Amino acid sequence: MSEFDLVIIGGGPGGYVAAIRAAQLGMNVACVEMRGALGGTCLNVGCIPSKALLESSHHYEEAKTHFADHGIKAKIELDLKTMLARKDKVVLDLTKGIEGLFKKNKVTYVKGRGSIKSPTEVLVDGKEVLKTKRILIATGSEVMPLPGVTVDEKKIVSSTGALELSEVPNHLVVVGGGVIGLELGSVWRRLGAKVTVVEFLDRIGGPMDAEVAKQFQRTLEKQGIEFKLGTKVTAADAKGKGVSLTLEPAAGGAKETLAADVVLVSIGRKPYTEGLGLEAVGVKLDERKRVVVNSHYETEIKGIYAIGDVIHGPMLAHKAEEDGVAAVEGMAGQKPHVDYNLVPGVIYTWPEVASVGKSEEELKAAGVAYKAGKFPFMANSRGRAVGETDGFVKVVADAKTDRVLGVHIIGPDAGTLIHEACLVMEYGGSSEDLARTCHAHPTLNEAVKEAALAVLGRAVHI
Ligand code: FAD
Ligand code: NAI
């Protein structure tokens, strides 16, 4: 029987990063993972394979439609098999890399399904017992099912199936206009599919800044994606060659049908706690089935902790990583803190969409007086030089103190640009701090500086 300081259940970005940090802090750590590979949803069927396909499909579309603008002529042909194989290789290399990091840090990797027998005992596949001082639940999330629609991962797919379609569908219908639907919808549209997104709400992209969401939808429509907003899918018939979907207005009303070759169900994810034995040990779940933890990530049962998608907060890989680090540093007696308000969100379409902090709508609802400054990429010289002029940067700052409260970007490389905003907000900085920071010319980042100048009423290039 082995004895550990910490046993982590789940080897995703939350669990594996927590394991490495705990080992750095001198703990004897085991990480139990049941999928046969480390890296969790993110590396195996999430962030990484989707970003690999987004990159490949972006190159394909660029080569097909924009190279000619630069005076480059080429005959372009899609080799989907090679594109998918490249994605699989990227995933394999990265997951193997984590095994290497475990070895380097002397983390014990235990393959199997973990369950909690008691606060000091983890069972592996119901048999082997790992004795431990503490347990960290990092079991992540799974696809939210849609009533009336059965996922077969062939004609009706979740994000996992949508990452490995063996041919480009003629018509892909995406149910749910959130992050997964818009990213993977973009991939298959670029590769030649007609894409229709059916979204329950009257806007896409979830709770993002409303002005950004509007521009985002317009841009995606220009690219060819069709939207049916305020609409829900109530049934799917997959008996024939394709799938026949029954749609209904979200508010109720006349039904219609929509024919698809492939349907992607992407209406959200839910915490994964199946088979963990939480009830028996007394670990509580909230109304959304998330594990309830205190500010130190500890459940009501002493010695049992939880992080990442399985607890509250944004379901993002970097949030899970921050949780993991903070949880184990707390166990080691340090006083870490993760501010969920400063967790950036990025949608890796083209243009990208990125934001951190509060939107104008949230500030209005909270009665906070603010000033907003906006700068379009059309007026950014680097944007013009590279031919990426869609979108804008918006900086929102406290009307009295000028402290930056939120930054929202739609545009080229928005997911990279957002980090100077994260940093300034982490330090409680002002829009004047951003505006007075020397930015290299010509860069896309100058649009961030100009938006900060716009808050102060003195943008230079508009
Ligand atoms: P997970 O990554 O889900 O890892 C949990 C692990 O625990 C899994 O490997 C699972 O097999 C294992 N496990 C569960 N139960 C047990 C058990 N009983 N015993 C042993 N092992 C168990 N986030 C971003 O930040 N950026 C992105 O670009 C992004 N893209 C995404 C794209 C897609 C298609 C999807 C689906 C998600 C994406 N996400 C992205 C979200 C991101 O993947 C998750 O937020 C992140 O993986 C959560 O990390 P985690 O460690 O909490 O859980
Ligand atoms: P999501 O929550 O982003 O979007 C789901 C969408 O489906 C919402 O707009 C919702 O209104 C809609 N919806 C819900 N029920 C519906 C119904 N019955 N019919 C039609 N529409 C319906 O969830 P998604 O896209 O599945 O992603 C899951 C999680 O994965 C997200 O929380 C996200 O954080 C994470 N993720 C992050 C990525 C990134 O950081 N780039 C990429 C992909 C996923």
Side-chain angles (χ1 to χ4, degrees), residues 55 58-59 61-63 65-67 69-70 190 215 219 222-223 349-352 375-393 409-414 417 443-445 447:
E55 187 66 17
H58 180 62
H59 287 320
E61 180 163 62
E62 281 292 295
T65 57
H66 294 132
F67 273 17
D69 301 343
H70 294 267
R190 292 169 186 169
Q215 163 118 15
T219 304
K222 253 198 322 201
Q223 294 172 357
T349 45
W350 200 261
E352 292 183 345
F375 190 83
F377 284 100
M378 184 63 94
N380 171 269
S381 55
R382 183 65 178 274
R384 294 291 277 261
V386 298
E388 296 290 352
T389 50
D390 258 4
F392 58 85
V393 179
I409 309 176
I410 174 166
D413 277 331
L417 300 180
T443 56
L444 296 169
N445 297 71

Side-chain angles (χ1 to χ4, degrees), residues 217-234:
Q217 186 182 334
R218 266 203 306 265
T219 304
L220 293 175
E221 278 169 344
K222 253 198 322 201
Q223 294 172 357
I225 295 186
E226 286 179 23
F227 291 96
K228 280 182 176 291
L229 302 184
T231 306
K232 61 185 174 186
V233 170
T234 51

Side-chain angles (χ1 to χ4, degrees), residues 158-239:
S158 70
S159 52
T160 303
L163 291 167
E164 49 194 27
L165 299 179
S166 55
E167 56 187 67
V168 179
N170 285 322
H171 187 197
L172 172 71
V173 174
V174 174
V175 188
V179 200
I180 292 181
L182 299 176
E183 286 188 354
L184 294 180
S186 290
V187 165
W188 292 105
R189 185 211 44 85
R190 292 169 186 169
L191 299 181
K194 169 183 157 74
V195 173
T196 308
V197 175
V198 182
E199 164 59 49
F200 185 82
L201 300 177
D202 57 7
R203 50 179 283 175
I204 61 164
M208 69 169 67
D209 178 273
E211 202 179 356
V212 172
K214 224 180 187 172
Q215 163 118 15
F216 191 27
Q217 186 182 334
R218 266 203 306 265
T219 304
L220 293 175
E221 278 169 344
K222 253 198 322 201
Q223 294 172 357
I225 295 186
E226 286 179 23
F227 291 96
K228 280 182 176 291
L229 302 184
T231 306
K232 61 185 174 186
V233 170
T234 51
D237 180 353
K239 282 199 285 290

